[in-house]
Amino acid sequence: MGSPAGLSLGQLLLALDATMVSLVDAPRGLDAAVSSAALIDTDDVRLGLARAASSADVFLLLGLGDDDAVQWLRRETRDRAPIAVFAKSPPPALVEAAVGASTAVVAVDPRARWERLYRLIIHVFDHHGAPLHESGTDLFGLAQSIADRIHGMVSVEDAESHVLAYSASDGEADELRRLSILGRAGPPEHLAWIAERGIFDALRSSDDVVQVAARPELGLQPRLAVGIRPPNPDSRRARQFMGTIWVQQGSQALAEDAEEILRGAAVLAGRIMTRLATTPSTHTVRLHEVLGLRDSDVDISVVARDLGIAYDGRAALIGVDTSTATARLAEVLALSASAFRADAQVAPHGSRVYVLLPRAARPAAVRSWIRGTIAALRTELGLHLWAVIAAPVAGLSAVAAARAEVDRVLDSAARHPGMQESVTSLAEARTTVLLDEVLTFLSGRDHLIDPRVRHLRHTDAALAETLRCYLDSFGDVAAAARELHVHPNTVRYRVRRIEEILSTSLADPDVRLALALSVRIS
C-alpha cells in the first residue's frame, strides 16, 4: 500500500505514538522516506510467498519465530534492505541483523492487534499530510490539535468504536485508552457501566458533550465525549451517527472551554470523515495513474514500487461495468481477486471497477476466474455484470493503453445491453466494437448517411429488408432467399428493382460498403 512522497519514518512513528510502538534502533536515522507497507507471516517466509511484497519499505512481522525472522531479513537485504521492520518483542538476533543491514527496528506493544496497526499505518500513509488530496483530511492532525488546545488525550473512533486516529499520550494514557488504541476491548466492567448509564445512547442521539466520570477502582481517568455527524444540518442524513471523539484527562485539568471546543471539533471531524469517504485513497490514486485515469505524467516504475507490485512481466487487466450493481461491489470484487491472486489490485472509477493482475496467470485461468466470479455474483446477489479482459499486457507501462481499449468494449456493451457476452476479451470484441463505433459516429451525422436508403425504406419495406439480407450475404442470392423465406428468383427481381430505385449497381464494392453502413443506421 503506498503513501505520499515525503513521509518519513519519524513522522510515521510520531503518528502511531508510544502507546502502540517504540523505536529500538534506527541506524539510518528517522528521516528515511516510507511509502509502502506489507504484512509478512510464517507461511509467507517458509513457502516463499513474500516475494510480491519485496519492494515495500516497512514490514510487519507477524508471529515469526526468531530463526524465521532473521532468515527472512537476511534474504530480503540481499537486493534491497527495508527501511524498517515492526515486530513484537524483537529478539536480539533480529535487531543485530537489521542494524547490520541499516534497517530500523520498531517494537510493537505485545497486546496490539496487527490488523489495527496495519490499518493505522495505511491511514497515516493515505491521509497524514497527503499533498494529493484537499487539505483538511488528516484526523491525526485534528486529534493532536484538539489535545493541544484543551490539554487532554484525544482519540477519534468510527461508529463501530474502531480507533481511526489519536493524539500523543505523553505516558499518561490509562488502561482503557491504551487497549482501545491497541485494538483490544476495554475492561468489561467499565463497558457495562457505560452501557448501563446510557452514554453510548446519548452520543448517538444528541450533539451534547457527555461527561464520563473517573473509575479509580479500575484505574480509569475522567473523560469527555461527543458524537460525530455529517456536516450539513439540512441533509436527511444529518442525524447519522459517524463516530465519537473521546478525550481522556491526564494530570493537567482540561481547558475551561473544553466542551465548546469539542462541539466544534465534532463538526470538523464530520467534515473530514465525509471527505475521506468520498476521496480516493493514495493507493487508489496510484492505481489510477497506472490505469491512465489521471492527467499526470508519472514514472510507472516508481508508482509500481509505491504499490509494492511487479513492474515488468505479463499482466492482465479486467474492466467490470458496475452501473447496475451495489455501491460496495468494488470491495466484493477485491475479496475475490485477492483470493485468486495475492498481488491483485482493485480500483473503482465511476461506474466501473478495474482489476489489475501485475503478474498474471495464463489468460485462460484469468478468464475462468472472472467467469466464475460473475456467475457467483449473479447467483448470490442477482447482479448481471459485463467484464472485459485484456491479457496478456506487456508490463505496467502498457496497462493504460489496455484500459482505454477495455473501456471501448464496455462503452459498446452499454450501448447495446443484452447483446454482449457477460465476459469477453479485447480480441473477441474487436470487430464488434470497431463496427459499433463507426455506426455510432455516423448515426449522429445525417449528412454521412445515404439518403437513398431512407427513401427505399419509406417506399418499400420489403425491398429495404432484401437489401440488408443481400448485403449481409455478400451477394449470395440463395443465402438471402433462405433468410427471407422466398424463392431465389424473388431476390433477383428485388435486387434489380433496388438498383433501379437507387440508380446504382450493387456489383460495385464501394456502393455495397456505403449502403451496408447506411442500412445498419437508418
Side-chain angles (χ1 to χ4, degrees), residues 427-502:
E428 293 169 331
R430 185 73 64 193
T431 299
T432 302
V433 171
L434 287 174
L435 181 59
D436 176 64
E437 289 179 342
V438 169
L439 295 179
T440 300
F441 176 82
L442 294 176
S443 65
R445 295 164 173 80
D446 286 349
H447 65 287
L448 296 178
I449 300 173
D450 195 323
R452 296 174 298 178
V453 173
R454 285 183 175 153
H455 173 68
L456 181 66
R457 193 177 296 281
H458 293 152
T459 302
D460 192 324
L463 291 181
E465 181 64 9
T466 299
L467 175 61
R468 183 194 66 77
C469 289
Y470 182 76
L471 293 173
D472 286 351
S473 301
F474 302 100
D476 187 330
V477 172
R482 284 193 298 271
E483 183 175 348
L484 293 168
H485 303 290
V486 298
H487 194 277
N489 286 340
T490 302
V491 174
R492 293 187 183 96
Y493 169 75
R494 289 179 180 179
V495 168
R496 287 195 296 272
R497 285 285 297 136
I498 292 169
E499 290 179 328
E500 291 173 1
I501 294 173
L502 300 183

Side-chain angles (χ1 to χ4, degrees), residues 327-389:
R328 301 183 69 84
L329 182 64
E331 295 180 14
V332 176
L333 285 173
L335 290 173
S336 179
S338 297
F340 175 59
R341 293 285 304 217
D343 59 347
Q345 308 291 315
V346 178
H349 186 260
S351 64
R352 287 171 188 168
V353 175
Y354 301 94
V355 180
L356 173 62
L357 305 171
R359 281 188 174 167
R362 294 175 296 105
V366 175
R367 187 184 188 95
S368 177
W369 166 72
I370 191 61
R371 274 190 180 280
T373 298
I374 286 183
L377 291 175
R378 183 184 301 116
T379 301
E380 300 295 333
L381 302 178
L383 299 176
H384 295 272
L385 305 174
W386 299 320
V388 180
I389 305 169

Side-chain angles (χ1 to χ4, degrees), residues 162-423:
H162 297 143
V163 175
L164 301 176
Y166 47 88
S167 66
S169 296
D170 299 326
E172 294 190 327
D174 63 14
E175 189 68 0
L176 177 60
R177 175 176 171 84
R178 282 193 294 270
L179 291 174
S180 297
I181 291 175
L182 295 173
R184 303 292 179 179
E189 308 95 314
H190 183 67
L191 295 179
W193 181 80
I194 287 179
E196 288 171 3
R197 281 154 180 76
I199 292 172
F200 286 131
D201 291 338
L203 290 171
R204 291 177 179 274
S205 62
S206 170
D207 294 328
D208 294 337
V209 175
V210 176
Q211 296 185 6
V212 183
R215 300 289 307 281
E217 72 279 13
L218 296 177
L220 302 184
Q221 298 298 315
R223 280 171 165 71
L224 296 180
V226 65
I228 304 170
R229 290 171 178 80
N232 184 2
D234 298 324
S235 171
R236 286 178 297 175
R237 301 176 60 196
R239 304 311 302 168
Q240 177 193 10
F241 178 72
M242 301 177 71
T244 308
I245 300 177
W246 293 92
V247 182
Q248 180 214 312
Q249 182 175 327
S251 57
Q252 184 177 1
L254 299 179
E256 292 183 2
D257 57 354
E259 294 191 13
E260 180 182 351
I261 297 300
L262 267 187
R263 283 191 287 269
V267 174
L268 292 179
R271 290 176 184 169
I272 291 175
M273 291 170 70
T274 300
R275 287 175 186 149
L276 293 180
T278 57
T279 302
S281 69
T282 304
H283 182 78
T284 299
V285 169
R286 291 283 188 261
L287 281 175
H288 284 179
E289 290 172 343
V290 173
L291 294 167
L293 293 170
R294 300 185 69 85
D295 295 328
S296 57
D297 185 16
V298 297
D299 185 333
I300 298 299
S301 63
V302 173
V303 176
R305 176 182 170 278
D306 287 348
L307 292 171
I309 59 178
Y311 169 72
D312 54 1
R314 290 187 169 189
L317 177 69
I318 303 166
V320 182
D321 184 282
T322 63
S323 55
T324 61
T326 61
R328 301 183 69 84
L329 182 64
E331 295 180 14
V332 176
L333 285 173
L335 290 173
S336 179
S338 297
F340 175 59
R341 293 285 304 217
D343 59 347
Q345 308 291 315
V346 178
H349 186 260
S351 64
R352 287 171 188 168
V353 175
Y354 301 94
V355 180
L356 173 62
L357 305 171
R359 281 188 174 167
R362 294 175 296 105
V366 175
R367 187 184 188 95
S368 177
W369 166 72
I370 191 61
R371 274 190 180 280
T373 298
I374 286 183
L377 291 175
R378 183 184 301 116
T379 301
E380 300 295 333
L381 302 178
L383 299 176
H384 295 272
L385 305 174
W386 299 320
V388 180
I389 305 169
V393 179
L396 293 195
S397 60
V399 166
R403 191 272 313 160
E405 293 296 302
V406 165
D407 278 349
R408 290 175 62 190
V409 181
L410 290 174
D411 289 342
S412 176
R415 288 191 289 268
H416 306 283
M419 296 181 64
Q420 301 284 349
E421 293 288 336
S422 59
V423 177

